[in-house]
Amino acid sequence: MKNYLWLFACLLLLSSCGKKGTEQLPVAIGEPYHVMVVAADSTAAKPIVELLAADMSGLPQPEPTFDVQLVKPEEAEKPQCRYARALVHIDIDKKKYNSADVGYKHDRWARGQLVLNITSPSADLLGQMVWRNARKLVGLLVDHEMNQAKQRFSRRANTMAASEVKRLFGIDMLVPASLTSMKKGKHFIWLSDGSRQRQNICVYTVEGRLPERDMNHRDSVMRVNIKGETDNMYMTTVKDGLRFLDMGQGQTLTRGLWEMKDDSMGGPFVERTVFLGDRTLVAEAFVYAPESKKRNLIRELEAALNSIKIYKSE
């Protein structure tokens, strides 16, 4: 069945070839956070494969940052590779290159595609360059997926929920169309899809500036607004394994795990805080997906948080 689906996708892609302009390119194919690495020497490609396949932080079970597929250059012209959503081409040639370098291009052969070109005169120099630029390389690919998700949201969004978020908090945010359930509290809104693989976004404000690396605000707000079957069951933050990232301009990104007190529920969350002078805006995404992989679910919601536009009063 999968072979027939691939064939059908390829025929659709090829039918649009020959047209000019980015808008007429075939649409990139493949699953989110799947990267194809094209390399003649699998040993030389090992540093980039290990980097991209390393465990993503903030998840309850190990999941790779990207699903990596290593292919030979002779396979690169096949439609399933050429039109992949994310490609990394590795070229090692001491006659062509004096130093290791990386370049990238969007929409190279397909719309919604990112192609990284990594070149080096030797495998050793390539490995050094990859680890020296690890954050940049991973960031390019993550940002690409985030932008693709935001484009999907802009085409099919829950505009009613987005309008309510703007009315309550004065911000623009792309809300995925799947988040159809809404619950409001004091300076608080909770959006959810209500499915078994439940995706959620909460937006709220707290007075003043939050202390650095402190999650007491989250525990107090969630205890009031997100309860279990009884009042003794409520959401809390797992203190171990929290990751904090200073984004500058009064913004912080936090990754970690949540759990329900006196219950077996739990999962990953990502929180974005923005200090607005007299108050702090908090936008959080969390996932409850028992027995399912959670990377793509939380990353998709993170893209929604990434879409937030703040309008500060003058």
Side-chain angles (χ1 to χ4, degrees):
M1 183 65 180
K2 290 184 177 179
N3 290 336
Y4 288 111
L5 291 174
W6 271 114
L7 179 59
F8 180 70
C10 292
L11 288 172
L12 287 177
L13 291 167
L14 292 172
S15 68
S16 63
C17 293
K19 300 178 182 179
K20 297 180 180 179
T22 302
E23 291 300 318
Q24 302 303 326
L25 288 172
V27 177
I29 56 178
E31 295 296 319
Y33 296 92
H34 182 276
V35 179
M36 286 194 175
V37 176
V38 182
D41 184 350
S42 59
T43 302
K46 187 176 179 179
I48 188 70
V49 171
E50 290 183 346
L51 172 66
L52 300 182
D55 288 346
M56 177 180 161
S57 62
L59 296 179
Q61 291 88 31
E63 291 187 52
T65 304
F66 297 93
D67 300 316
V68 182
Q69 182 179 352
L70 187 62
V71 298
K72 296 290 186 181
E74 53 267 27
E75 300 178 63
E77 294 302 314
K78 295 180 180 179
Q80 62 264 38
C81 183
R82 185 175 180 84
Y83 301 121
R85 62 191 297 123
L87 281 165
V88 177
H89 280 266
I90 295 176
D91 187 17
I92 299 176
D93 192 326
K94 63 182 180 182
K95 294 181 179 179
K96 291 167 60 178
Y97 310 112
N98 296 318
S99 61
D101 197 9
V102 59
Y104 64 94
K105 184 176 178 60
H106 291 279
D107 302 327
R108 177 66 179 87
W109 293 293
R111 197 154 26 98
Q113 181 185 63
L114 175 65
V115 178
L116 300 186
N117 291 302
I118 300 178
T119 57
S120 177
S122 70
D124 287 341
L125 287 177
L126 183 143
Q128 294 172 27
M129 187 276 293
V130 165
W131 293 113
R132 191 168 59 247
N133 295 276
R135 181 174 294 183
K136 173 185 176 182
L137 293 168
V138 172
L140 282 169
L141 290 160
V142 170
D143 287 347
H144 170 66
E145 291 292 354
M146 292 281 176
N147 289 332
Q148 292 303 304
K150 285 186 284 187
Q151 288 182 29
R152 292 197 304 273
F153 297 158
S154 64
R155 292 191 297 268
R156 187 170 179 270
N158 186 337
T159 55
M160 184 179 72
S163 296
E164 188 65 7
V165 169
K166 185 170 186 176
R167 186 186 72 82
L168 292 171
F169 304 103
I171 65 171
D172 282 337
M173 181 177 73
L174 293 171
V175 178
S178 59
L179 303 188
T180 56
S181 178
M182 181 188 306
K183 176 184 176 183
K184 288 182 284 188
K186 185 178 180 180
H187 309 301
F188 177 93
I189 190 169
W190 175 15
L191 307 171
S192 172
D193 66 359
S195 69
R196 181 168 174 76
Q197 293 187 339
R198 182 170 293 174
Q199 291 178 291
N200 308 263
I201 289 178
C202 295
V203 183
Y204 57 93
T205 56
V206 294
E207 294 184 0
R209 186 164 195 158
L210 298 176
E212 291 186 6
R213 299 176 179 269
D214 186 302
M215 300 304 290
N216 288 332
H217 68 279
R218 182 181 186 278
D219 286 341
S220 61
V221 170
M222 295 305 186
R223 179 167 186 167
V224 172
N225 291 283
I226 301 185
K227 295 181 178 292
E229 295 180 357
T230 70
D231 286 345
N232 292 326
M233 298 178 180
Y234 50 86
M235 181 179 284
T236 63
T237 306
V238 177
K239 298 302 188 292
D240 294 335
L242 290 169
R243 300 289 184 91
F244 300 90
L245 175 64
D246 185 353
M247 301 172 66
Q249 299 182 329
Q251 300 192 46
T252 302
L253 192 74
T254 305
R255 298 184 192 282
L257 301 176
W258 64 272
E259 62 185 8
M260 292 293 286
K261 180 177 172 57
D262 295 332
D263 200 352
S264 59
M265 297 176 66
F269 78 88
V270 57
E271 177 189 86
R272 179 182 176 185
T273 61
V274 185
F275 180 54
L276 300 176
D278 59 344
R279 61 196 172 99
T280 298
L281 176 83
V282 182
E284 173 184 319
F286 68 92
V287 166
Y288 174 62
E291 301 179 5
S292 299
K293 293 184 177 180
K294 301 165 182 65
R295 180 197 63 197
N296 288 13
L297 295 172
I298 194 69
R299 283 291 200 191
E300 183 178 52
L301 294 179
E302 186 179 348
L305 304 189
N306 190 260
S307 75
I308 290 175
K309 293 181 180 178
I310 307 290
Y311 298 97
K312 295 183 179 180
S313 59
E314 297 182 358

